[in-house]
Amino acid sequence: MRRSFFILFFLFIFLSFANPVGAETSSPQPYTIFLPALSNTNNNAPQFLSLENFTSQVINGDAETIRGVYAEGVMAFRVLQQPENNSNDVTMEPDAVTQFSLAARLGVTGLLAHNTLAGDAFDQLQIGQQVTIIYGDGRLKSYLITSIIGYEVLDPRDPYTNYRNIETNEVIGLAPLFSLYYMGEHHLTLQTCIEKNGDPGWGRLFIKASPLD
């Protein structure tokens, strides 16, 4: 079966950011900022488990590492970490998503998935729904979905292209789009691609959720 895998570097801006709250203070480090684009051509049905059962399957005792993401009746996926210094790596495993390491360094939990692997379940989420992040020691952190927005990529050939909000037709640049979903106060962002007219990278889907505690 043919697979297509798109990882596009949209923006190379070097900025310095302070460490997230709770981290030790050190000299600011430069970050390469970009938005991954994710897609392939395999279908996948998510596995439905109770939160308790799923948690027991993914914990490993590591309190600092996210091991799973859960939404009742929609998804129960393992969370895998990107290799060091490789922020464009995204898992091809059908029952897993990848934590965006650059977002984590900026204090945001970002989860990436191909739109017809685990990312297919993202499209089933709804505003007001609860999503739970599971850490390796069994600790749970819950979020409430506050927005689900799709964007059309206006010029796929241009790595600095603008994006059109599918609902409002508002056009937004790459830098403010990245800032909206991967910077600011701590929150959860789920990202995958939107396929249309046979183009698996036609658009981007962003789901943003605020912490409940």
Side-chain angles (χ1 to χ4, degrees):
M1 182 179 295
R2 183 178 64 87
R3 297 184 177 183
S4 59
F5 177 72
F6 298 85
I7 296 293
L8 305 180
F9 288 89
F10 292 107
L11 183 62
F12 296 91
I13 302 176
F14 292 92
L15 299 174
S16 295
F17 297 93
N19 287 340
V21 174
E24 293 183 2
T25 302
S26 60
S27 299
Q29 299 294 323
Y31 294 89
T32 302
I33 296 177
F34 64 94
L35 292 177
L38 316 159
S39 64
N40 60 48
T41 55
N42 284 322
N43 292 322
N44 175 64
Q47 182 182 12
F48 298 120
L49 299 169
S50 70
L51 177 57
E52 181 179 4
N53 288 340
F54 179 61
T55 298
S56 69
Q57 291 185 12
V58 298
I59 57 175
N60 65 353
D62 185 353
E64 303 301 321
T65 302
I66 294 175
R67 295 282 296 166
V69 58
Y70 183 91
E72 186 175 1
V74 177
M75 63 183 184
F77 294 125
R78 294 179 297 126
V79 175
L80 304 181
Q81 303 301 313
Q82 293 178 320
E84 188 175 357
N85 300 321
N86 187 1
S87 294
N88 64 345
D89 179 82
V90 180
T91 182
M92 298 295 290
E93 297 187 29
D95 64 342
V97 302
T98 299
Q99 184 174 8
F100 189 13
S101 60
L102 176 57
R105 296 172 73 179
L106 300 175
V108 172
T109 298
L111 301 181
L112 312 172
H114 297 294
N115 61 344
T116 49
L117 289 174
D120 181 55
F122 292 1
D123 193 48
Q124 302 173 41
L125 295 168
Q126 300 179 8
I127 292 175
Q129 189 166 6
Q130 182 172 312
V131 178
T132 301
I133 295 294
I134 302 157
Y135 287 82
D137 62 348
R139 178 167 55 95
L140 306 178
K141 188 171 182 61
S142 296
Y143 298 80
L144 190 70
I145 295 176
T146 56
S147 69
I148 301 175
I149 302 178
Y151 297 86
E152 178 187 1
V153 179
L154 294 185
D155 186 355
R157 299 167 298 179
D158 180 6
Y160 305 100
T161 186
N162 293 330
Y163 297 78
R164 182 184 65 83
N165 185 310
I166 294 173
E167 296 181 359
T168 66
N169 287 320
E170 178 185 2
V171 175
I172 185 172
L174 178 59
L177 184 64
F178 182 95
S179 177
L180 179 63
Y181 291 104
Y182 293 117
M183 297 175 66
E185 294 184 1
H186 175 72
H187 60 273
L188 170 67
T189 292
L190 308 176
Q191 180 191 340
T192 189
C193 273
I194 299 171
E195 180 175 359
K196 186 174 181 178
N197 300 326
D199 179 3
W202 179 88
R204 308 288 179 265
L205 179 67
F206 291 94
I207 299 170
K208 191 172 183 178
S210 298
L212 287 175
D213 47 18

